[in-house]
Amino acid sequence: MGQPQGDQGFNVDPEQIDEHAKQVEETHEHLRVALDADKDRVDMLAFGLIGNMCGMPLICNNLSENVREALQSAISAGEHHVAAVRKWAEVRRVTEQDAIDLLKRAEQVERG
């Protein structure tokens, strides 16, 4: 589906907004799986004698830490985005009571 489309994003159907939030949450799941995979790091002995002499464990560990930080940042940003999108959908929804209240106010203004 992609990003909801409307009049510059302000007149988008709340259902489309919810769908967008669901898509972002699905992406979150993939990021979380990748972050969880970091728990299964390669053992130092896996690089062999030459790999250890070349510092491969240190290089891979540093790279892994950088990737972990990037994934964690992406997850945090996505969580913020989902919360903002859900709030947007909530604000865009007009309940039946909202409509009744609006009509009552319009009648009061009309009567003076």
Side-chain angles (χ1 to χ4, degrees):
M1 178 185 161
Q3 186 174 0
Q5 298 298 311
D7 297 332
Q8 297 175 344
F10 294 106
N11 294 319
V12 178
D13 178 15
E15 298 304 318
Q16 285 182 294
I17 299 170
D18 286 337
E19 183 61 32
H20 176 67
K22 286 178 190 173
Q23 289 175 342
V24 173
E25 285 175 333
E26 289 172 11
T27 302
H28 263 149
E29 280 308 307
H30 295 296
L31 292 172
R32 285 188 189 102
V33 168
L35 189 61
D36 287 343
D38 183 58
K39 294 175 186 170
D40 297 327
R41 293 197 180 178
V42 176
D43 184 70
M44 269 184 70
L45 299 176
F47 296 99
L49 182 59
I50 295 176
N52 279 318
M53 289 173 57
C54 294
M56 289 302 293
L58 181 62
I59 292 168
C60 289
N61 189 47
N62 287 342
L63 181 60
S64 181
E65 284 301 317
N66 292 341
V67 169
R68 181 174 185 61
E69 289 173 15
L71 286 170
Q72 189 60 56
S73 292
I75 289 169
S76 295
E79 287 169 351
H80 174 74
H81 179 70
V82 168
V85 167
R86 293 231 183 264
K87 184 65 176 174
W88 179 31
E90 180 184 321
V91 170
R92 294 288 305 148
R93 277 198 180 77
V94 177
T95 65
E96 188 173 337
Q97 187 59 46
D98 293 333
I100 290 169
D101 292 344
L102 184 60
L103 288 172
K104 284 180 183 177
R105 276 188 263 152
E107 287 175 6
Q108 289 171 353
V109 169
E110 217 173 69
R111 289 183 208 154

